[in-house]
Amino acid sequence: MALGYWRAGRAREVAEFELFFRRCPFGGAFTLAAGLRDCVRFLRTFRLRNADVQFLASVLPPDTEPAFFEHLRALDCSEVTVRALPEGSLALPGVPLLQVSGPLLVVQLLETPLLCLVSYASLIATNAARLRLIAGPKKRLLEMGLRRAQGPDGGLTASTYSYLGGFDATSNVLAGQLRGVPVAGTLAHSFITSFVGTEVPPDPMLAPATGEGPRVDLTVQVEVWLERVCTHLGLGVQEPHRGERAAFVAYALAFPRAFQGLLDSYCVHRSGLPNFLAVALALGTLGYHAAGVRLDSGDLLQQAQEVRGVLRATAAQFQVPWLESVLIAVSNNIEEEELARLAQEDSEVDIIGIGTSLVTCPRQPSLGCVYKVSWWLWGASPG
């Protein structure tokens, strides 16, 4: 098309295009406008490099006039004007998210990149906002979809604009580095199952949280607390998995102020929970408070309620009040119906990690934005 405009002498005619959608996604009543910052960044740097022009020359007809390629080399967006809805604002069907005016050839070339940058970002932000409304204001929502996203660019976009839509944090560290999105995460099952229980930490000694007093062998303290915890829970001391406990100890030594336990690698009640409690209570004697636990399988609502009950009973048994309010996080293919269950006031769930159903938008994978010319001035040029 660019060559057609140029051959017709219309390359520099002034035109305006509007980018909009026809229906709100997911059968809902609203859409959040998003992607404006990415569009501005793209427009500021838009140029065709020599390599780009050479490639175009290789695929266009061989008799294409050299002057056309010189025109392409000079293209930029210095004469392009954009009017837009503010990032994160409510958008309505048929109302332009962007109005782009400038030289006809240039604003036509911008169609595909602008649609790409706005459509998915707005879809993700809207999906995130819908999930936030279901979850309510009190539950923390963690975006965990990078491993399910359609490539790294899609993953970065999803992490960025789910935050705009109301999520609290992302597990995508790159989104934190490049976009300033708060970063949070948990340990993985593979970390836990990589330990068998015979591992000896190179330095098991841990100083008190205040920094004052002698360092203590955390592994020894954990075993002491394990006996007390198992007696309290009515378990045999051999039942909790040794490898899981070794993994928890290793994690606690690395992150004593942010220790957390993934409870369901083996068995929540007979292994994960007692191992977590042993390590958490051992840390507690040194002045550290565990950050939380995560459940990643089974009936998440029921298990969260049961785990909270054990935390409360153990806190009362050993006179450690902070233990009963340890945060409980859940994950595992959480969709809207499950999210509504977990958002109940008595669910005992504090943090909900959502991946696939957020970043892939399975209920509607495309917003369906369009980019249509609204007017042009025949024969007129910018300036």
Side-chain angles (χ1 to χ4, degrees):
M1 285 190 293
L3 177 58
Y5 283 136
W6 186 82
R7 288 292 299 273
R10 303 186 59 201
R12 293 188 52 77
E13 287 180 11
V14 178
E16 180 174 278
F17 284 74
E18 295 180 339
L19 190 154
F20 60 93
F21 59 92
R22 295 189 171 100
R23 288 186 298 275
C24 289
F26 314 111
F30 73 92
T31 302
L32 292 188
L36 176 59
R37 180 172 64 173
D38 290 336
C39 290
V40 172
R41 183 184 296 113
F42 173 79
L43 294 173
R44 284 175 174 169
T45 60
F46 175 77
R47 297 284 299 195
L48 291 178
R49 302 166 301 171
N50 282 333
D52 301 325
V53 176
Q54 290 170 6
F55 174 77
L56 291 172
S58 73
V59 296
L60 287 173
D63 59 350
T64 301
E65 296 178 48
F68 172 67
F69 299 113
E70 292 307 311
H71 183 82
L72 293 182
R73 287 187 173 90
L75 289 182
D76 60 24
C77 290
S78 60
E79 296 178 307
V80 172
T81 300
V82 177
R83 289 174 291 170
L85 293 179
E87 193 91 290
S89 60
L90 287 174
L92 300 175
V95 177
L97 282 71
L98 300 179
Q99 293 173 295
V100 185
S101 59
L104 179 57
L105 186 151
V106 175
V107 292
Q108 179 73 76
L109 285 178
L110 295 176
E111 176 178 5
T112 296
L114 293 181
L115 283 170
C116 178
L117 292 172
V118 169
S119 296
Y120 182 58
S122 299
L123 189 70
I124 284 290
T126 305
N127 198 25
R130 293 176 69 253
L131 296 173
R132 167 50 73 192
L133 290 172
I134 294 171
K138 295 182 180 179
K139 306 295 184 185
R140 291 193 66 210
L141 294 180
L142 173 62
E143 183 272 315
M144 302 174 63
L146 183 57
R147 66 187 64 184
R148 301 286 187 262
Q150 286 89 345
D153 291 337
L156 181 60
T157 299
S159 299
T160 301
Y161 291 103
S162 61
Y163 181 57
L164 178 69
F167 271 56
D168 295 287
T170 178
S171 62
N172 185 349
V173 177
L174 187 62
Q177 179 185 3
L178 298 182
R179 304 296 177 85
V181 179
V183 175
T186 65
L187 69 166
H189 289 290
S190 56
F191 179 84
I192 293 172
T193 57
S194 70
F195 288 79
V196 298
T198 58
E199 295 84 3
V200 178
D203 182 8
M205 307 301 289
L206 186 64
T210 61
E212 299 177 359
R215 301 172 75 219
V216 174
D217 188 325
L218 185 63
T219 59
V220 172
Q221 290 298 310
V222 167
E223 294 305 313
V224 171
W225 274 106
L226 181 67
E227 291 189 19
R228 300 180 67 185
V229 167
C230 286
T231 299
H232 166 61
L233 298 178
L235 298 173
V237 74
Q238 298 301 321
E239 291 188 67
H241 196 282
R242 293 176 59 200
E244 181 180 58
R245 189 160 63 256
F248 285 175
V249 169
Y251 199 85
L253 288 169
F255 300 100
R257 300 182 188 277
F259 169 65
Q260 54 187 284
L262 176 55
L263 302 185
D264 60 339
S265 296
Y266 299 104
C267 176
V268 172
H269 291 284
R270 308 191 76 82
S271 184
L273 191 50
N275 277 331
F276 167 79
L277 290 171
V279 177
L281 290 167
L283 286 172
T285 62
L286 294 171
Y288 300 99
H289 292 175
V293 298
R294 179 163 71 101
L295 299 164
D296 192 46
S297 62
D299 188 326
L300 299 174
L301 176 61
Q302 179 181 339
Q303 288 191 94
Q305 293 170 333
E306 292 171 351
V307 167
R308 181 68 72 196
V310 173
L311 291 172
R312 287 178 177 142
T314 306
Q317 173 69 23
F318 298 114
Q319 298 297 298
V320 282
W322 58 265
L323 185 62
E324 65 177 294
S325 58
V326 161
L327 299 178
I328 298 177
V330 296
S331 56
N332 187 29
N333 290 323
I334 295 173
E335 298 181 349
E336 292 182 18
E337 294 78 7
E338 178 68 0
L339 178 60
R341 289 183 70 231
L342 297 170
Q344 297 175 32
E345 194 166 335
D346 62 347
S347 73
E348 302 294 353
V349 171
D350 301 293
I351 303 171
I352 303 170
I354 306 179
T356 304
S357 64
L358 172 61
V359 306
T360 65
C361 300
R363 294 190 175 222
Q364 183 176 328
S366 173
L367 180 55
C369 286
V370 294
Y371 185 84
K372 299 294 184 182
V373 64
S374 55
W375 57 262
W376 70 88
L377 298 177
W378 186 273
S381 61

